[in-house]
Amino acid sequence: MRSMIDQLDRWEHAYYVLDAPEVPDSEYDRVYRALQQLEADHPTLIQSDSPTQRVGGKPSEGFEQVKHRVPMLSLGNAFDDSDVIAFDRRVKELADLPANTAIDYAVDPKFDGLAISIHYKNGLFEQAITRGDGTVGEDVSSNVKTIRSLPLKLKGDNLPAHLEVRGEIFMYKKDFAQMNERQADLGLKVFANPRNAAAGTIRQLDPKIAASRPLRFFCYGAALSRDQLRELKNQSALMRWLAGMGLPVSQLSKSAKGAQGLLDYYRHVGDSRIHLPFEIDGVVYKVDSFDLQDQLGFVAKAPRFAVAHKFPPDEVLSRILTIEVQVGRTGSITPVAKLDPVKVGGVMVSSATLHNLDEIQRKDLRVGDQVLVRRAGDVIPEVLPFSGNLRSASSVAFQMPTQCPICNSLVRKEEGEAALRCTGGLVCKAQLTQSIIHFAHRRAIDIEGLGSKLIEVLVEKEWVKTPADLFRLQFEDIVQLERMGDKSARNLLDSINKAKQTTFSRFLFGLGIRHVGEATARDLASHFNSVEKLIGASIDELLEVNDVGPIVAESIRQFFDEPANKQVVRELIDLGLEWPEAQAQTFDETHPFFGKTFVLTGSLSQYSRDEAAALIVERGGKVSGSVSKKTDFVLAGESAGSKLDKAAGLGITILDETTFQGML
């Protein structure tokens, strides 16, 4: 176990800190799972620094207030060259040094994230505390522990008995953009910038939320004893010492001489800022020598030996020329402001997402308005209302369309969601690639050999405009595709023809109806027995189906109310998709599965999840996709996740495979 932990730590450091992966993800996952199994077999031997322990425990009810052992001070600010020259002059005057002395400085980027204090005891992660008011912060250890770039165990010999590291929690720009895209697609809150996202994530009470978000960490210092300061001598040596223990340190941390050296560094970082993977809002200058730092001391709540040189804010006035809408791959309708082009932070911006109608109304934005354009997090241009805007009579309030601009299907808003969605899931070109991938998936219609890359080609060539078109593909066309010989083309057509023999539940799952997973598809198939009965079902009739609530029923009804979706479903059946007619089943009512509801989680060794579900259903049981008070059993395999935690919290019986087989 110790060997596995050390190996996984090395791989995590290479991946998250050095950005130089040593092994493929599959190899990391294999060792991680093996470690999980050992820990399950020997729970008393679980190590606190095991990567499996990054996320655990129930959500907390609040954060404990903790007093900092050494206060976390703020920095004074410099805004232009004259402020930097004045700072360098003050350092020399206070230290009684000649005016022509070139002071040695340590210089770093000023990360725009969340300041954090992290404590290690004998090299092991112990506690993480927010800055708070500088004197008292909050214990957010459970959340900070989930950050993969932060080592849970320091490297090296002769580690200090106690080490308090100071640093910043932040997100990479690309990770932030991808996370916001996922949030928008799900109709959830989108974050204004990476800093807000990082700060908001660390203050979540459930550490599993923090674990699901792409947080990173850089250290920029430590609260050291006088003996440690004397031994290390300067800030530059401190940063090398911290990096040597495996703590992530920015490659932009450098040394500089005198005021001119500081200004040269500022301009160099400023010029490369747009290309950096993370957001910064300035640079930090620190006198390098600890003896000289001690001599300079502090004023109020800031050190005299350091200053932050801020970049100018990236906000420029523009005007909203029009507001258009874009359709995402999951059908979400996003309004986008088309702007009078302006240069913001070195980049020409002519459009910016407005996220959703609620956001537009909250900001009271209208076509024709003068607005502020900010590059939020150097990533996503953000539109803000301008307080000096003199709205003209020609300004027009934006109206969301009632029909999809791509396929003319109806646009609807689900209860509890901010985003509107196109209901033309099977015919909307914006959603097409994703819907075909889902339709052909092995757990749906199961077309072997039809991968996502080939689907993208078929959609791009417009040979496939709906799932029904898959069954119209001709050998003469397919064989022309790159890397597609005669044999491959025939094999693909054979797979497509074979997929015509399916089951009603697989067919329903493959349609990609929002909120209809495999378990719900099985329940719908069992209840209605035919497509036409399901198409004609009312909301009340849908609510009679096991585990179908108002939101799911409304989603099903919306899907089949869209004529284009109904047309594709009927085309599929006309093209030969069929399944055995449902026969009345009789069950042994004394069997322990009869009438019981199961939830499956994790990887099973004896069966696939589909096979286990089929065995349960054959004996009169039901399989649900989510844990609730109505759940009777949770069958938990390897790497079981949040469902297992929820089941334990609700006191639901948890089965391992051996017990399941015995009951079977």
Side-chain angles (χ1 to χ4, degrees), residues 4 47 72 138 274 279 292 311 343 434 441 446 468 490 569 578:
M4 285 179 171
Q47 306 291 299
M72 292 185 74
E138 293 178 315
I274 193 170
E279 179 185 352
L292 187 49
F311 292 126
K343 201 164 190 176
Q434 201 64 34
H441 192 271
D446 190 17
R490 294 193 190 282
V569 168
E578 58 183 3

Side-chain angles (χ1 to χ4, degrees), residues 188-248:
L188 301 175
K189 172 188 175 183
V190 292
F191 294 94
N193 52 58
R195 185 192 184 285
N196 287 0
T201 298
I202 288 300
R203 297 209 79 259
Q204 292 287 334
L205 295 175
D206 187 351
K208 289 185 174 58
I209 295 175
S212 72
R213 293 181 180 169
L215 297 174
R216 293 178 184 256
F217 169 78
F218 272 147
C219 63
Y220 51 67
L224 302 177
S225 68
R226 287 193 173 274
D227 287 343
Q228 289 170 320
L229 291 172
R230 271 195 297 271
E231 187 176 344
L232 288 166
K233 295 185 180 178
N234 58 45
Q235 175 74 15
S236 300
L238 166 64
M239 298 306 287
R240 289 193 295 271
W241 183 57
L242 294 175
M245 288 188 281
L247 287 158

Side-chain angles (χ1 to χ4, degrees), residues 603-609 611-612 615 657-658 660-661 664:
S603 302
L604 305 176
S605 60
Q606 303 298 317
Y607 318 95
S608 70
R609 297 259 284 268
E611 289 168 343
L615 291 169
E657 279 193 79
T658 304
F660 176 77
Q661 285 175 318
L664 189 67

Side-chain angles (χ1 to χ4, degrees), residues 240-275:
R240 289 193 295 271
W241 183 57
L242 294 175
M245 288 188 281
L247 287 158
V249 173
S250 170
Q251 297 301 306
L252 292 174
S253 296
K254 305 286 183 186
S255 299
K257 270 191 177 293
Q260 190 56 51
L262 298 181
L263 293 173
D264 289 344
Y265 178 77
Y266 175 82
R267 293 188 180 102
H268 169 71
V269 173
D271 290 342
S272 60
R273 178 186 178 194
I274 193 170
H275 303 296

